[in-house]
Each structure stands twice: as C-alpha cells, then as structure tokens.
C-alpha cells in the first residue's frame, strides 16, 4: 500500500475535471458552495479582490477557518500557501487539507525557489501563464496546473491570454521534431523528458484548470471552450449580488459549456456580477500574475 | 458495441480510453436522449454530490433507472458507486437507489490517506493495481450482491446482476481488465436481449 504517489496525486485532480472549485471564507459560504455543486472549496481568509483592496502582506489563512470549512463539507478542501513557503504548506497539510495551492494571490515568501512539492503527501496546484512555467512547476511536483489569470479583477482577459498561450505553445511543441525539442527545452527552461511527454501527449501531463478573473457563467464556459479541464472561481461568487444563484449557474454553464441556450437560461436575472477592474489600470506591482517564475 | 460514460463531471476521458482498449466504443453522455444510443453506461469518478445534483437537474435519475431496468449494464467507479447505492451511511439522501448496498463516503480518510495497492478481484486472474482516492467503501450488501474484492476486510468491488461497482479507479491505470469484465457484461446482456 502506497500513499502520495504521483498517480494518487494527479488522479485526485482528474476527479475534479469538468467541475468548479470555489473560494470560500467561512463555513457558511462553504455550505453554499457545496450545495450549489462545487467539486471542491478553497478555504481563504480573504478572497483575492479583498486582498487587493487591503494591500500589505497576504499570508496563509488562519487555521481556524480551514478547520471550520473541513468540518462542514464532504467535498475536498483546498488552501493556499505563499510561493516558496514550505512551512505554511506543511501546516496546511497537517490540518488535513486535500490539495494545496502554492499561490501568487498571496505575497511570495521566496523570490527564487518554489516549494519542493515532491516532499508532500497531498497534491499541489500551481499557477502558470506559459508552458515553461507550467512544466517547471510540474518538475517541482505540482499535480495540477491552473492559469494565473489576474485574480480578484473579475476580468477574464488574462486567463484567456494564458490559456491560449499555453495551448498554442503545446501545439508548437507537438509539431517539433525530436532533435528540435532539445533546443526548445533550453528556450523554455524545462527538462527535455517533460517536454518530450508534452510532444507525445499533445497536452500537459496533468489537469489544467482556468483561474483568475472568472466572474460569470459565460466566462466559465468560455474557458472550457478554450480547453480548460475545469474552473476556479475566486471573488466571482461571493462578491456577486446573489452568491447561491451565481454558484449554481456557473456549475451548470461549466458542465454544458456548448449548450448556449442553457447558458442563457441560467444567466437570467442573476443580479450584478462582481464589479471588476480594467487590467490596464493596474500597475506592474499590482499584477499578481507577475509573481512566480 | 457502444458504451456511454456519464459526462456531467469527473474523469470521463480516462474511461473512454479504457473502453477503447477492450475493443468497444466509448462515448460521453451529457443528455438523457443519448442513453438510447448505448448498450451500457459507466458512471465515473468525480464528486458524488456534484454528479448527483446534476443528474437530478437533468432528469438522469429516472432515465438511468429505466436504462438499468431494461437489463442494460451500469458500472460505477468511486463517485459512481456512491450514486448507484440504495443507501448512503450517515443519512445523506441516496441518488439512484439501484444497487442493494450501503456505502460510506470518504471511508479511508482524506486525500493524504489516498493510496494505491495490488488487489485481487474475483473473475480476474492476476491482481489489479487499484488506485483509491478519497474512496468510499461498501458497508453492507444485500443477499443478491456478489462481493468481488475485499481490501483489509472492507468490500471494494461488487456486482448485482447488471450492476457493477468499484471503490477504486480502474480508469487511472493502463490495466483495462475490469473494463473488459464490464464490456463482457454488456456483450452478454446484448446477446440475451436479442
């Protein structure tokens, strides 16, 4: 009997496919998310848009919140640790969190090294905006990738950019000859073996979700249309006018992302989505997607 | 021969690939009308609360009961096992209530307790590599249920007539023998129906 194998960790992410993972800040929100059909919840102290508004250093959530959420739902519970913060990740693992997010939404703790994720029994998800980043995170042991997007903006444009870019890079790698892959591995800063795997599979060797800016059912469906395996919704649900309705509608739009009549139906009378931010108004320092490397 | 994989949420493509290896054709099922086109159905792993909710929403509870009622085989893995059970321990409402078993969800613990191991399955010669992810187990079985495998005294694979369930994920390995077992059930049911 073996725990924490690559198959067990990556397999956990496979089970989340076609689903919506929702940010929650307390037990009550976690129950709303579960009742709406979320496949997992991300337990946080503040959603990304509040982190933006508050400024300062954003850290791992108070363990009380994580424990409270674990207690009330039967679906998997995820939590975020700062990039490079081994101890926050170990603390969250000790609480029984099912999946860790080494996340650029929090203030990085290390500007050179990410966490060695092979050392953990629980799987990790990490953000990426291009193929190089995605494969470097997988080398470090990530079992799931998500686009970085631009968290807390309610603006889908960056998630679209990252998903399209990663997929176009994968298509390019597929078409390279084996001898060209050596130079491409050097260009991307990734291992040849992993790049060869992408060349052969025509996709990442782990599940790839969309995250960072999903605010409406149509946004979620757009990301599925662009090839995402599933969707993370951060501020989009509990910063909307009607979280329960938004949550249910986003779940249905993700499942039936090509059924436009159904998406129209679930989008009716939802009330206002989160307000959102035009990315062009953010300074370089305000862009969370620039964190991590 | 065509086998459908319920594609509301979960590990759908992995099952379609495994079905393909048995020589049958796998196809995703998103709407109840599509059930008419298939001879057997797999309910995949995923989150049982999500899959159960979406099945209710889109009429799959009645449609799958009718499908199974016609003698067509249904195979549930992990979340699919939970969805097929007559009873869920702890009082949570059951979904399809088709198979005479009581299941306990997340029975082995949280993700850190998830594991893989070699497992003997009745009807398959050598052990299979079984991947258990936040897996359920079968606490109780009715008189007509055949127990096919046991892990540490707990029932993890079972069959009742045209219904087959496993706590683990055969679709996550290259070993397609349990899919072959199911394909054979579908084949046999088709022959009997003609």
């Amino acid at each position: 009997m073996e725990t924490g194998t690559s198959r067990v960790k990556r397999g956990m992410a496979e089970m989340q496919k076609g689903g919506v993972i929702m940010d929650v800040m307390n037990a009550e929100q976690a129950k709303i998310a579960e009742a709406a059909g979320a496949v997992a919840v991300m337990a946080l102290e503040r959603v990304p848009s509040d982190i933006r508004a508050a400024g300062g250093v954003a850290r791992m959530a108070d363990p009380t919140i994580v424990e409270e959420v674990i207690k009330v739902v039967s679906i998997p519970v995820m939590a975020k640790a700062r990039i490079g913060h081994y101890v926050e990740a170990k603390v969250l693992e000790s609480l029984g969190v099912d999946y860790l997010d080494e996340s650029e939404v929090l203030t990085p703790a290390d500007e050179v090294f990410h966490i060695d994720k092979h050392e953990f029994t629980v799987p990790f998800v990490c953000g990426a905006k291009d193929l190089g980043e995605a494969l470097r995170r997988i080398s470090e042991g990530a079992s799931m990738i998500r686009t970085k997007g631009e968290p807390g903006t309610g603006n889908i444009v960056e998630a679209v950019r990252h998903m399209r870019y990663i997929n176009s890079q994968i298509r390019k790698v597929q078409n390279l000859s084996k001898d060209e892959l050596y130079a491409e591995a050097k260009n991307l800063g990734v291992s040849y073996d992993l790049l060869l795997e992408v060349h052969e599979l025509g996709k990442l060797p782990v599940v790839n979700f969309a995250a960072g800016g999903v605010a409406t059912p149509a946004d979620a469906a757009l990301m599925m249309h662009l090839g995402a395996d599933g969707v993370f919704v951060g501020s989009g649900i509990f910063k909307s006018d009607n979280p329960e309705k938004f949550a249910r509608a986003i779940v249905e739009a993700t499942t039936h992302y090509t059924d436009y009549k159904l998406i129209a139906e679930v989008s009716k009378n939802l009330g206002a989505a989160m307000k959102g931010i035009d990315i062009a108004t953010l300074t370089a320092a305000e862009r969370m997607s620039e964190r991590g490397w | 021969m065509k086998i459908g994989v319920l594609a509301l949420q979960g590990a759908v493509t992995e099952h379609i690939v495994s079905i393909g290896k048995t020589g049958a054709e796998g196809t995703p099922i998103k709407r109840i009308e599509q059930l008419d086109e298939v001879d057997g159905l797999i309910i995949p792993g995923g989150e049982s609360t999500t899959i159960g909710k979406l099945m209710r929403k889109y009429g799959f509870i009645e449609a799958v009961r009718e499908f199974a009622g016609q003698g067509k085989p249904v195979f549930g893995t992990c979340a699919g096992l939970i969805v097929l059970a007559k009873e869920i321990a702890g009082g949570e409402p059951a979904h399809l209530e088709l198979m005479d078993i009581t299941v306990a969800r997340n029975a082995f613990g949280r993700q850190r307790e998830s594991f893989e191991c070699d497992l003997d399955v009745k009807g398959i010669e050598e052990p299979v590599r079984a991947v258990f992810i936040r897996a359920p187990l079968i606490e109780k079985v009715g008189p007509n249920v055949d127990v096919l495998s046991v892990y540490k005294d707990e029932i993890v694979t079972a069959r009742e007539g045209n219904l087959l369930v496993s706590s683990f994920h055969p679709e996550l390995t290259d070993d397609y023998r349990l899919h072959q077992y199911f394909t054979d059930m579908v084949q046999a049911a088709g022959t009997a129906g003609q």
Side-chain angles (χ1 to χ4, degrees), chain A residues 105-242:
Chain A
V105 168
L106 306 181
T107 311
D110 191 321
E111 291 187 334
V112 182
F113 301 106
H114 281 250
I115 298 169
D116 176 4
K117 294 165 274 285
H118 292 289
E119 269 198 40
F120 289 72
T121 307
V122 294
F124 272 79
V125 56
C126 286
K129 52 187 189 307
D130 56 48
L131 183 60
E133 257 188 312
L135 295 183
R136 285 191 292 278
R137 298 295 85 78
I138 295 168
S139 291
E140 295 155 2
S143 305
M144 179 183 195
I145 294 294
R146 54 170 177 73
T147 59
K148 286 182 168 174
E150 194 52 58
T153 61
N155 190 335
I156 198 69
V157 67
E158 293 299 309
V160 168
R161 190 195 316 279
H162 300 161
M163 188 59 75
R164 278 197 180 274
Y165 190 46
I166 290 173
N167 288 338
S168 77
Q169 285 181 300
I170 290 174
R171 282 191 294 274
K172 180 183 165 200
V173 166
Q174 259 187 299
N175 287 323
L176 293 178
S177 62
K178 280 204 179 160
D179 57 331
E180 289 169 335
L181 285 177
Y182 291 100
E184 188 64 8
K186 178 173 163 271
N187 288 341
L188 293 174
V190 302
S191 88
Y192 172 79
D193 291 342
L194 210 43
L195 198 65
L196 182 64
E197 210 178 332
V198 172
H199 171 76
E200 283 165 358
L201 288 171
K203 64 183 198 65
L204 291 179
V206 302
V207 164
N208 186 16
F209 269 47
V214 177
T216 67
D219 284 349
L222 173 64
M223 295 314 299
M224 295 299 286
H225 165 76
L226 292 174
D229 289 313
V231 179
F232 281 88
V233 188
S235 322
I237 289 170
F238 290 99
K239 286 287 158 187
S240 71
D241 271 3
N242 193 334

Side-chain angles (χ1 to χ4, degrees), chain A residues 1-5 7-9 11-12 14-19 34-39 70 74-77 93-98 121-123 251-252 255-257 262, chain B residues 7-14 30-31 45-47 49-50 53-54 57-58 92 105-106 110-117 129 131-134 151-152 169 171-174:
Chain A
M1 195 270 270
E2 293 172 79
T3 58
T5 62
R7 190 143 59 187
V8 166
K9 292 202 256 185
M12 165 69 192
E14 302 283 347
M15 298 310 137
Q16 306 274 296
K17 285 196 300 192
E34 184 177 47
V39 290
I70 286 177
S74 65
I75 56 178
V77 176
E93 183 179 51
S94 80
L95 294 173
V97 163
D98 297 294
T121 307
V122 294
V251 168
E252 287 192 53
T255 298
H256 291 291
Y257 65 94
L262 182 142
Chain B
L8 297 175
Q9 191 272 315
V12 176
T13 43
E14 289 75 8
K30 281 195 180 265
R31 297 187 319 274
E47 281 308 314
T49 51
T50 306
K53 247 174 260 302
L54 293 170
K57 177 96 195 182
Y58 303 120
E92 191 181 317
R105 290 183 58 203
N106 302 331
R110 305 194 67 82
Q111 176 59 20
R112 65 182 171 200
E113 280 89 35
S114 295
F115 63 98
E116 53 179 293
C117 66
R129 190 68 183 167
V131 184
F132 291 85
I133 296 175
R134 288 173 47 97
Y151 175 78
K152 290 190 175 165
H169 294 282
E171 77 281 11
L172 290 183
T173 66
D174 295 330

Side-chain angles (χ1 to χ4, degrees), chain B residues 119-128 175 177-178 181:
Chain B
L119 186 73
D120 286 315
V121 179
K122 199 168 128 188
I124 295 177
E125 267 186 26
E126 298 288 317
V128 301
D175 184 342
R177 288 174 297 162
L178 199 57
Y181 183 102

Side-chain angles (χ1 to χ4, degrees), chain B:
Chain B
M1 192 168 55
K2 241 177 164 180
I3 295 175
V5 181
L6 188 67
L8 297 175
Q9 191 272 315
V12 176
T13 43
E14 289 75 8
H15 273 296
I16 291 177
V17 169
S18 296
I19 294 166
K21 288 182 183 159
T22 70
E25 185 192 343
T27 182
I29 304 284
K30 281 195 180 265
R31 297 187 319 274
I32 54 172
E33 309 86 77
Q34 294 172 300
L35 287 172
D36 298 337
E37 301 156 19
V38 296
D39 311 296
L41 178 70
I42 294 181
I43 305 177
E47 281 308 314
S48 64
T49 51
T50 306
I51 295 174
K53 247 174 260 302
L54 293 170
M55 284 181 80
R56 275 188 188 81
K57 177 96 195 182
Y58 303 120
F60 273 104
I61 299 289
E62 283 312 311
V64 175
R65 280 180 188 155
E66 199 180 305
F67 184 87
Q70 293 162 1
K72 291 179 185 161
V74 182
F75 178 18
T77 61
C78 194
L81 176 159
I82 298 167
V83 168
L84 276 168
K86 198 156 267 178
E87 209 175 315
I88 301 175
E92 191 181 317
H95 305 281
L96 286 165
E97 302 175 62
L98 275 171
M99 189 162 172
D100 195 4
I101 54 174
T102 302
V103 302
R105 290 183 58 203
N106 302 331
F108 294 95
R110 305 194 67 82
Q111 176 59 20
R112 65 182 171 200
E113 280 89 35
S114 295
F115 63 98
E116 53 179 293
C117 66
D118 291 324
L119 186 73
D120 286 315
V121 179
K122 199 168 128 188
I124 295 177
E125 267 186 26
E126 298 288 317
V128 301
R129 190 68 183 167
V131 184
F132 291 85
I133 296 175
R134 288 173 47 97
L137 61 79
I138 303 169
E139 280 190 348
K140 263 195 328 217
V141 298
N144 300 320
V145 176
D146 193 7
V147 173
L148 300 184
S149 71
V150 169
Y151 175 78
K152 290 190 175 165
D153 299 329
E154 307 287 1
I155 303 170
V156 293
T157 317
R159 177 178 176 179
E160 181 182 26
N162 59 334
L163 307 173
L164 177 68
V165 290
S166 71
S167 299
F168 60 91
H169 294 282
E171 77 281 11
L172 290 183
T173 66
D174 295 330
D175 184 342
Y176 59 89
R177 288 174 297 162
L178 199 57
H179 284 88
Q180 187 66 60
Y181 183 102
F182 181 64
T183 308
D184 293 345
M185 281 170 63
V186 177
Q187 182 84 51
T191 313
Q194 275 162 14

